[in-house]
mmCIF file of all heavy atoms in Angstrom:
data_model
loop_
_atom_site.group_PDB
_atom_site.id
_atom_site.type_symbol
_atom_site.label_atom_id
_atom_site.label_comp_id
_atom_site.label_asym_id
_atom_site.label_seq_id
_atom_site.Cartn_x
_atom_site.Cartn_y
_atom_site.Cartn_z
ATOM 1 N N GLY A 388 -5.403 -13.904 2.696
ATOM 2 C CA GLY A 388 -5.866 -15.275 2.909
ATOM 3 C C GLY A 388 -6.731 -15.785 1.761
ATOM 4 O O GLY A 388 -6.600 -16.938 1.330
ATOM 5 N N LEU A 389 -7.601 -14.916 1.245
ATOM 6 C CA LEU A 389 -8.486 -15.326 0.159
ATOM 7 C C LEU A 389 -7.701 -15.606 -1.124
ATOM 8 O O LEU A 389 -7.985 -16.573 -1.843
ATOM 9 C CB LEU A 389 -9.542 -14.242 -0.089
ATOM 10 C CG LEU A 389 -10.605 -14.075 1.002
ATOM 11 C CD1 LEU A 389 -11.452 -12.838 0.732
ATOM 12 C CD2 LEU A 389 -11.490 -15.314 1.090
ATOM 13 N N VAL A 390 -6.727 -14.750 -1.430
ATOM 14 C CA VAL A 390 -5.935 -14.946 -2.645
ATOM 15 C C VAL A 390 -5.136 -16.248 -2.555
ATOM 16 O O VAL A 390 -4.983 -16.973 -3.546
ATOM 17 C CB VAL A 390 -5.011 -13.735 -2.884
ATOM 18 C CG1 VAL A 390 -3.982 -14.035 -3.961
ATOM 19 C CG2 VAL A 390 -5.830 -12.516 -3.275
ATOM 20 N N LEU A 391 -4.633 -16.558 -1.368
ATOM 21 C CA LEU A 391 -3.945 -17.844 -1.189
ATOM 22 C C LEU A 391 -4.874 -19.020 -1.483
ATOM 23 O O LEU A 391 -4.428 -20.088 -1.925
ATOM 24 C CB LEU A 391 -3.421 -17.957 0.247
ATOM 25 C CG LEU A 391 -2.101 -17.275 0.585
ATOM 26 C CD1 LEU A 391 -1.821 -17.399 2.077
ATOM 27 C CD2 LEU A 391 -0.951 -17.868 -0.216
ATOM 28 N N ALA A 392 -6.167 -18.826 -1.235
ATOM 29 C CA ALA A 392 -7.122 -19.928 -1.393
ATOM 30 C C ALA A 392 -7.556 -20.143 -2.841
ATOM 31 O O ALA A 392 -8.151 -21.183 -3.153
ATOM 32 C CB ALA A 392 -8.356 -19.665 -0.529
ATOM 33 N N ILE A 393 -7.286 -19.194 -3.739
ATOM 34 C CA ILE A 393 -7.766 -19.326 -5.125
ATOM 35 C C ILE A 393 -7.234 -20.583 -5.799
ATOM 36 O O ILE A 393 -8.020 -21.372 -6.353
ATOM 37 C CB ILE A 393 -7.428 -18.061 -5.934
ATOM 38 C CG1 ILE A 393 -8.289 -16.888 -5.464
ATOM 39 C CG2 ILE A 393 -7.649 -18.299 -7.431
ATOM 40 C CD1 ILE A 393 -7.978 -15.575 -6.155
ATOM 41 N N PRO A 394 -5.919 -20.835 -5.803
ATOM 42 C CA PRO A 394 -5.453 -22.069 -6.471
ATOM 43 C C PRO A 394 -5.953 -23.338 -5.782
ATOM 44 O O PRO A 394 -6.162 -24.361 -6.445
ATOM 45 C CB PRO A 394 -3.926 -21.961 -6.401
ATOM 46 C CG PRO A 394 -3.630 -20.947 -5.348
ATOM 47 C CD PRO A 394 -4.789 -20.017 -5.318
ATOM 48 N N LEU A 395 -6.155 -23.296 -4.469
ATOM 49 C CA LEU A 395 -6.700 -24.460 -3.770
ATOM 50 C C LEU A 395 -8.131 -24.719 -4.201
ATOM 51 O O LEU A 395 -8.533 -25.873 -4.409
ATOM 52 C CB LEU A 395 -6.635 -24.235 -2.254
ATOM 53 C CG LEU A 395 -5.235 -24.060 -1.652
ATOM 54 C CD1 LEU A 395 -5.336 -23.776 -0.157
ATOM 55 C CD2 LEU A 395 -4.400 -25.309 -1.901
ATOM 56 N N ALA A 396 -8.917 -23.646 -4.356
ATOM 57 C CA ALA A 396 -10.298 -23.802 -4.821
ATOM 58 C C ALA A 396 -10.327 -24.326 -6.250
ATOM 59 O O ALA A 396 -11.185 -25.149 -6.619
ATOM 60 C CB ALA A 396 -11.028 -22.462 -4.725
ATOM 61 N N ALA A 397 -9.382 -23.855 -7.073
ATOM 62 C CA ALA A 397 -9.353 -24.276 -8.478
ATOM 63 C C ALA A 397 -9.098 -25.777 -8.605
ATOM 64 O O ALA A 397 -9.576 -26.414 -9.549
ATOM 65 C CB ALA A 397 -8.296 -23.494 -9.233
ATOM 66 N N GLN A 398 -8.350 -26.348 -7.668
ATOM 67 C CA GLN A 398 -8.073 -27.781 -7.716
ATOM 68 C C GLN A 398 -9.339 -28.610 -7.522
ATOM 69 O O GLN A 398 -9.432 -29.731 -8.011
ATOM 70 C CB GLN A 398 -7.042 -28.147 -6.646
ATOM 71 C CG GLN A 398 -5.651 -27.587 -6.911
ATOM 72 C CD GLN A 398 -4.676 -27.902 -5.792
ATOM 73 O OE1 GLN A 398 -5.010 -28.597 -4.821
ATOM 74 N NE2 GLN A 398 -3.455 -27.388 -5.901
ATOM 75 N N ARG A 399 -10.313 -28.049 -6.828
ATOM 76 C CA ARG A 399 -11.574 -28.761 -6.592
ATOM 77 C C ARG A 399 -12.581 -28.522 -7.712
ATOM 78 O O ARG A 399 -13.587 -29.221 -7.804
ATOM 79 C CB ARG A 399 -12.171 -28.321 -5.257
ATOM 80 C CG ARG A 399 -11.279 -28.620 -4.053
ATOM 81 C CD ARG A 399 -11.936 -28.148 -2.770
ATOM 82 N NE ARG A 399 -13.201 -28.834 -2.531
ATOM 83 C CZ ARG A 399 -13.321 -30.004 -1.930
ATOM 84 N NH1 ARG A 399 -12.228 -30.653 -1.509
ATOM 85 N NH2 ARG A 399 -14.511 -30.551 -1.750
#
Side-chain angles (χ1 to χ4, degrees):
L389 290 171
V390 168
L391 278 175
I393 290 177
L395 298 177
Q398 292 177 3
R399 299 180 62 85

